Structure formats: C-alpha cells, structure tokens
C-alpha cells in the first residue's frame, strides 16, 4: 500500500463533518479505529504486532529481543478539531519508509520497530504524552489512575472500555532497554522550513513547557438583579489574567495561552460561581518560563483580591527542556546533507513523545515543511511531495542506522 493509499484510508477516521477537524481522543471509538488501521498495516506487512502494557502499539521487523533496535513512529490521536498531519504523518511515513527500504533490498543489521504512542495530545485526560510518559517512568501508575476526563471517566475505565487491561500500566524499562535509537518524523508546526525553502529539517531542542489550572471561585447570582458593586464575578479576574499572560509572554519572549475554559454554572443569565482556565506556557529556556508563570500567578492573585475571588493554581503537567542527543542529530545531518545542501536544524515549542523518550534512549526528530505553519487546527497542511520527501529522508536515516 502506497503512502497515498495509507493516507486516504486514515483520512476519514474521526473527522468532524462540521469542522473538518479531527477528534481522535484517546480510548474513544475514533482512536480504536485508528489503532485497528495500525494493526492492519503491521499485519499486511508480516510484521510482529504487539500492544505494550501502556497501550502503545508496536510493529516489528526483526526480533526486538536482539536489542539495539531502531524505532520510528509517532501518534494517531488528535487535539480537539486537530489537523490530519500532527502525529499520523510520522506513523504513515514509518510504514512507507520500511516499504522503501524493502524495495531497496536493504540488509537490516538491527531490528526496526514502528510505534504508535497512545494519548500524545492529552486532549481527553489533560496530560500530554501519557503512553510514552508511563513507559519512561515519568508518570506513576497512581497518578495515571487518578486522571479523569470531562465526564468523570477515569483513564483505567476508558482503557478497559476500549479493550485494554489497565492493570499492568507503568514503567517499562525492559522495553526501553531494547531500543538503541528512536527517530520521530513530524509535520513542522511553524514556518521555518517554508521560509528557508527546505522540505526537511532536523530538531535541535524542545522548549520547556507545561500546563497550569487556574480556579477562580466567586459567587453565583442573578445577572439581572445583582448590583455590579455586590458581585463576586470570577470571570473578571480570569479575563484580566488572560491579558496578563499575553503581556508577560511578550515581555519574556515566551508564549502563553489560555485555550481551554470551564465555567459553572455556565448560564447566560447567571454570574459564574467558578471559572477554571488552563494556561499553556512555553519558553526557550527554563528561566524565561519561570518568569512568565510566576508573573501570571502573581497577577491572577492580585486580580482575584480585587474582585473578591478565591484563587487556586495547580501545575498539571511539566516537561523540561529537551536537547536532542548531539551524536544522533549529527548522524541525521550527515546522512541528509550528503546531497550537498545542509539540512536546517530547528528548535520547537511543541511537545512530542520523542522529547519524553529522550531521557531514556538516544532520540532525534525530522520535520516536514508546513507551508502555512498552521497546526492544531483543521487547516494544518503539508504538500504530498514534501511528505514523500519526508519518507525518503526517513528511509535514508533508518538505512544509515539499521542497515549494512
Ligand atoms: C503537543 O502537540 C503539544 O505541544 O501540545
Ligand atoms: Mn500536537
Ligand atoms: Mn504531534
């Protein structure tokens, strides 16, 4: 099956007819369909297929028990109304790159694995990279068991409902010990490659980033009869905090976003009793990130006091800076620069399973040009020619690492 055919098969799964965006949330029906697609691709190629204790899917060419395996892949889940490429491009390209290597009659000296990490986006349970974090021991079983979606369904309940036994979730050091290198191909989530006119780039680093929950509690009351002076309206302190986040991010050269909000009781004619907003903040270095988050928390506290609001802030997740391993990155640059033109090396503000794994195994990333830079949106796009160049680049890299 060609890249084009694989892409066409995956395209309708979990797509909203209204928005044209994807709603492939972990352990839902759309996710199950994506996972069935992955399994069918593995089986059609005669690869050994397995699901690990944390629900990540693996397809093996060669025996992983030999160790020093080269692994590639990404994720198939999406953010709410996400694009088609963020995640799936890395998985489809992985299968296509293996096909290309077999067509080249490459002689493998190391096992090759293709992986679909579960719940990378964290759209349902609020924490990103759950599958890789569990595997790498960066999320404890206890904390994973306590994760709940907006309907109160826990992660283990959701896993069980989708046919995965959650009993054994947790660190998987034996599995990681078998991996000698992990290379994730991903659509670029910015326009750096478009601006330099390159189809392919290599990752240098991932910015430190995290998610913080801000609970502003006030007093529900009648929107028509409560005098302005008598209100304790948490929406006011929340709104001022959103503006403060923007200001502080600008000052620090960082980014800060309130992209998700929950309001109680959520009635048009009621002053809210609670506004819960989630801050996503990222910066090139830890000091800048700390500066932004501390300043936003301080501003939120001051605005809460001004409007008679109780404020609670909780950090829900955090990923420190990732500097990808020099040796593997240089090897990718050497292989891809063979034709004579050096390949750009880029940092990114987006999180990835590769970032989580980088603490345990040598890890690298390839980026494919995104002509608009748009991502986490139905408008996300990459040209098929560029995607095919990505497949060839990935095949070249895998050949260099895993073949004679
Ligand atoms: C994942 O895509 C993230 O950076 O939030
Ligand atoms: Mn994403
Ligand atoms: Mn992604």
């Amino acid at each position: 099956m060609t890249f084009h055919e694989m892409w066409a098969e995956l395209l309708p799964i979990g797509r909203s007819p209204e928005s044209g965006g994807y709603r492939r949330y972990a352990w839902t029906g759309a996710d199950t369909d994506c996972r069935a697609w992955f399994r069918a691709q593995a089986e059609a190629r005669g690869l050994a297929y397995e699901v690990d204790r944390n629900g990540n899917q693996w397809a093996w060419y060669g025996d992983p028990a030999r160790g020093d395996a080269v692994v590639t892949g990404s994720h198939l889940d999406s953010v709410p109304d996400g694009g088609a490429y963020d995640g799936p491009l890395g998985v489809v390209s992985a299968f296509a790159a293996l096909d290309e290597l077999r067509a080249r009659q490459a002689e493998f000296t190391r096992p090759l694995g293709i992986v679909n990490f579960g719940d990378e986006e964290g759209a349902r349970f609020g924490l990103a990279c759950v599958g890789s974090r569990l595997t790498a021991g960066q999320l404890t079983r206890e904390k994973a068991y306590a994760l709940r979606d907006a309907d109160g369904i826990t992660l283990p309940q959701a896993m069980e409902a989708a046919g995965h036994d959650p009993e054994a979730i947790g660190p998987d050091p034996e599995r990681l010990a078998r991996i000698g290198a992990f290379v994730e191909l991903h659509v670029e989530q910015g326009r750096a490659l478009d601006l330099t006119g390159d189809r392919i780039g290599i990752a240098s680093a991932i910015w430190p980033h995290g998610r913080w929950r801000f609970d502003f509690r006030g007093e529900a009351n009648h929107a028509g009869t409560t005098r302005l002076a008598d209100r304790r309206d948490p929406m006011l302190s929340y709104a001022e905090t959103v503006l403060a986040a923007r200001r502080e991010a600008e000052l620090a050269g960082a980014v800060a976003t309130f992209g998700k909000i929950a309001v109680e009781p959520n009635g048009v004619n009621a002053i809210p009793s609670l506004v819960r907003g989630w801050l996503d903040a990222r910066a090139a270095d830890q000091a800048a990130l700390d500066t932004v988050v501390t300043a936003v928390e301080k501003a939120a506290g001051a605005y809460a006091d001004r409007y008679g609001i109780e404020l609670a802030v909780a950090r829900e997740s955090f990923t420190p800076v990732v500097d990808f391993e020099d040796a593997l990155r240089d090897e990718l640059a050497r292989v891809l620069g063979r034709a004579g033109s050096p390949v750009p090396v880029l940092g990114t503000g987006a999180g990835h399973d590769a970032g989580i794994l980088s603490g345990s195994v040598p890890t690298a990333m390839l980026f494919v040009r995104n002509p608009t830079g748009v991502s986490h949106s139905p408008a996300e796009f990459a040209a098929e020619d560029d995607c095919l160049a990505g497949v060839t680049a990935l095949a070249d890299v895998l050949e260099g690492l895993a073949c004679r």
Side-chain angles (χ1 to χ4, degrees):
M1 196 180 263
T2 63
F3 177 93
H4 188 84
E5 288 163 342
M6 282 191 277
W7 196 254
E9 256 192 26
L10 206 46
L11 213 53
I13 302 176
R15 186 176 201 177
S16 153
E18 293 89 45
S19 68
Y22 289 89
R23 299 175 184 174
R24 295 169 174 163
Y25 310 138
W27 308 110
T28 61
D31 189 42
T32 299
D33 291 348
C34 287
R35 296 165 70 83
W37 174 89
F38 182 99
R39 180 177 187 159
Q41 293 303 320
E43 289 176 351
R45 289 170 175 80
L47 307 177
Y49 169 78
E50 58 175 341
V51 178
D52 70 21
R53 56 171 54 180
N54 297 310
N56 306 306
Q57 294 179 293
W58 301 80
W60 288 104
Y61 185 61
D63 181 1
R66 279 173 47 201
D68 203 25
V70 176
V71 175
T72 185
S74 190
H75 62 97
L76 293 175
D77 68 317
S78 79
V79 296
D81 282 336
Y85 297 81
D86 176 355
L89 185 61
V91 179
V92 172
S93 299
F95 285 114
L98 172 61
D99 293 346
E100 189 163 322
L101 289 178
R102 281 166 140 180
R104 289 181 195 174
Q105 298 186 325
E107 264 186 69
F108 282 81
T109 53
R110 296 165 76 177
L112 181 76
I114 296 176
V115 63
N116 167 32
F117 281 112
D119 199 2
E120 193 273 350
E121 298 286 9
R124 182 169 177 192
F125 296 100
L127 178 66
C129 300
V130 168
S132 55
R133 270 185 217 276
L134 278 166
T135 300
Q138 294 181 25
L139 169 64
T140 61
R141 187 175 186 280
E142 291 64 38
K143 285 204 169 129
Y145 261 62
L147 292 172
R148 281 177 192 277
D149 71 7
D151 298 322
I153 297 170
T154 65
L155 175 66
Q157 285 167 341
M159 282 180 159
E160 202 147 22
H164 181 75
D165 180 0
E167 193 46 43
I169 66 171
D172 202 345
E174 295 86 11
R175 179 169 295 275
L176 290 178
R178 292 175 169 185
I179 303 174
F182 175 58
V183 181
E184 179 171 359
L185 177 145
H186 204 278
V187 68
E188 197 201 341
Q189 296 169 294
R191 283 194 59 220
L193 294 174
D194 191 56
L195 293 172
T196 55
D198 291 285
R199 290 177 188 274
I200 307 297
I202 299 172
S204 56
I206 299 179
W207 286 13
H209 57 282
R211 300 176 181 185
W212 290 259
R213 195 184 71 232
F214 285 62
D215 287 354
F216 297 91
R217 282 181 200 278
E219 187 176 43
N221 213 330
H222 196 294
T225 59
T226 316
R227 292 186 332 138
L228 293 179
D230 292 340
R231 298 179 180 209
R232 289 175 53 221
D233 182 350
M235 189 62 83
L236 301 177
S237 39
Y238 170 70
E240 302 242 32
T241 303
V242 174
L243 299 176
R246 170 67 184 233
R247 261 193 326 269
E248 296 300 337
E250 271 172 13
L251 282 172
V255 288
T257 310
F258 278 96
K260 178 174 169 182
I261 181 173
V263 180
E264 290 178 12
N266 209 21
V268 179
N269 52 357
I271 297 161
S273 55
L274 168 75
V275 175
R276 174 171 288 155
W278 282 265
L279 171 71
D280 176 309
R282 312 181 188 215
D285 61 72
Q286 186 65 49
L289 182 58
D290 289 345
T291 302
V292 171
V293 175
T294 306
V296 176
E297 283 189 45
K298 194 166 162 221
Y303 295 127
D305 287 348
R306 180 185 300 173
Y307 297 106
I309 300 302
E310 282 161 35
L311 171 69
V313 182
R315 189 177 84 173
E316 290 198 334
S317 71
F318 179 71
T319 309
V321 67
V322 172
D323 283 307
F324 287 111
E325 203 210 47
D326 290 356
L328 187 57
R329 192 189 60 207
D330 292 350
E331 175 62 10
L332 264 57
R334 192 189 62 74
V335 169
L336 299 179
R338 268 192 314 232
S341 48
V343 178
V345 180
L346 320 167
T348 176
H352 299 285
D353 295 307
I356 303 299
L357 252 63
S358 69
S360 312
V361 295
T363 298
M365 288 191 76
L366 290 176
F367 293 127
V368 171
R369 172 162 61 185
N370 175 339
T372 61
V374 172
S375 189
H376 285 186
S377 151
E380 181 184 69
F381 177 72
E384 189 163 316
D385 275 2
D386 289 347
C387 295
L388 294 177
V391 171
T392 302
L394 182 61
D396 289 348
V397 163
L398 298 175
E399 187 169 17
L401 293 172
C403 303
R404 204 181 299 283

